[in-house]
């Protein structure tokens, strides 16, 4: 069953099914962050998504001005899937010992960090969430989210064997 879920995640992240997915995900995250009634945890996760989407668009404009909207959409969908899968695994891990939880969180952090998209030298910005112990989403902003999702799929697939 886990294989099927991971395969579906990977397929969604790599398909160009959604036109303007970037804009939809950005508007959704922005609305959640702006809503004063939103749960603090949900707001924090949405703030990361919003910051990651904004970072992605700015860096793509700077470093890849000829890239297509489809490329941005695919990255946005993959980032959303990565974060949502992380949250799902985080919730599941609450039943596990603390050491297992830390291991799982570290795996997601490492996958994010080790798959850069822009190789941005501004590490203070890029690692602002990654280095923040208060952040639930300790990921690098400079992530190739499609590669990160593929890496997670590989890790989880081999974990089941």
């Amino acid at each position: 069953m886990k294989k099927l879920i991971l395969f579906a995640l990977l397929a969604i992240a790599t398909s160009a099914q959604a036109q303007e997915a970037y804009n939809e995900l950005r508007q959704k995250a922005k609305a959640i962050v702006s809503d004063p009634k939103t749960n603090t945890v949900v707001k924090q996760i949405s703030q990361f998504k919003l910051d990651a989407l904004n970072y992605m668009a700015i860096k793509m404009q700077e470093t890849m001005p000829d890239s297509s909207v489809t490329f941005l959409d695919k990255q946005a969908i993959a980032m959303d899937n990565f974060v949502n899968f992380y949250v799902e695994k985080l919730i599941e891990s609450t039943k596990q010992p603390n050491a297992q939880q830390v291991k799982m969180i570290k795996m997601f952090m490492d996958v994010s960090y080790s798959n850069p998209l822009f190789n941005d030298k501004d590490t203070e910005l890029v690692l602002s969430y990654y280095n923040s112990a208060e952040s639930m989403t300790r990921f690098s902003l400079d992530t190739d989210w499609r590669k990160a999702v593929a890496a997670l799929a590989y890790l989880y697939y081999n974990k089941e064997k």
Side-chain angles (χ1 to χ4, degrees), residues 55 58-59 62-63 116-127 140-143:
Y55 171 83
I58 291 166
K59 290 308 285 184
E62 288 175 7
T63 62
L117 180 59
F118 306 107
N119 294 306
D120 193 342
K121 302 293 183 226
D122 184 357
T123 56
E124 186 177 339
L125 172 65
V126 167
L127 300 178
S140 169
L141 292 174
D142 183 12
T143 298

Side-chain angles (χ1 to χ4, degrees), residues 21-130:
Y22 169 87
N23 289 332
E24 289 177 33
L25 290 170
R26 189 176 177 284
Q27 287 177 354
K28 182 180 176 186
K30 192 174 183 178
I32 291 169
V33 168
S34 300
D35 185 352
K37 294 180 266 179
T38 302
N39 172 294
T40 306
V41 172
V42 173
K43 191 176 278 200
Q44 189 180 56
I45 293 165
S46 293
Q47 184 64 59
F48 172 81
K49 288 181 179 184
L50 183 60
D51 290 345
L53 290 166
N54 288 336
Y55 171 83
M56 201 183 319
I58 291 166
K59 290 308 285 184
M60 283 183 69
Q61 204 169 32
E62 288 175 7
T63 62
M64 311 162 110
D66 296 331
S67 62
S68 67
V69 173
T70 304
F71 183 81
L72 185 61
D73 281 347
K74 288 178 182 181
Q75 285 292 325
I77 291 168
M79 182 276 301
D80 191 54
N81 285 329
F82 183 95
V83 174
N84 291 342
F85 187 60
Y86 169 73
V87 170
E88 177 186 322
K89 291 299 172 190
L90 196 59
I91 292 167
E92 287 176 10
S93 77
T94 59
K95 300 171 188 153
Q96 297 175 344
N98 194 40
Q100 289 289 89
Q101 293 176 27
V102 170
K103 186 176 177 182
M104 186 275 304
I105 292 168
K106 184 78 172 124
M107 181 181 67
F108 275 83
M109 289 173 64
D110 290 345
V111 166
S112 167
Y113 181 80
S114 61
N115 288 287
L117 180 59
F118 306 107
N119 294 306
D120 193 342
K121 302 293 183 226
D122 184 357
T123 56
E124 186 177 339
L125 172 65
V126 167
L127 300 178
S128 57
Y129 281 92
Y130 186 91

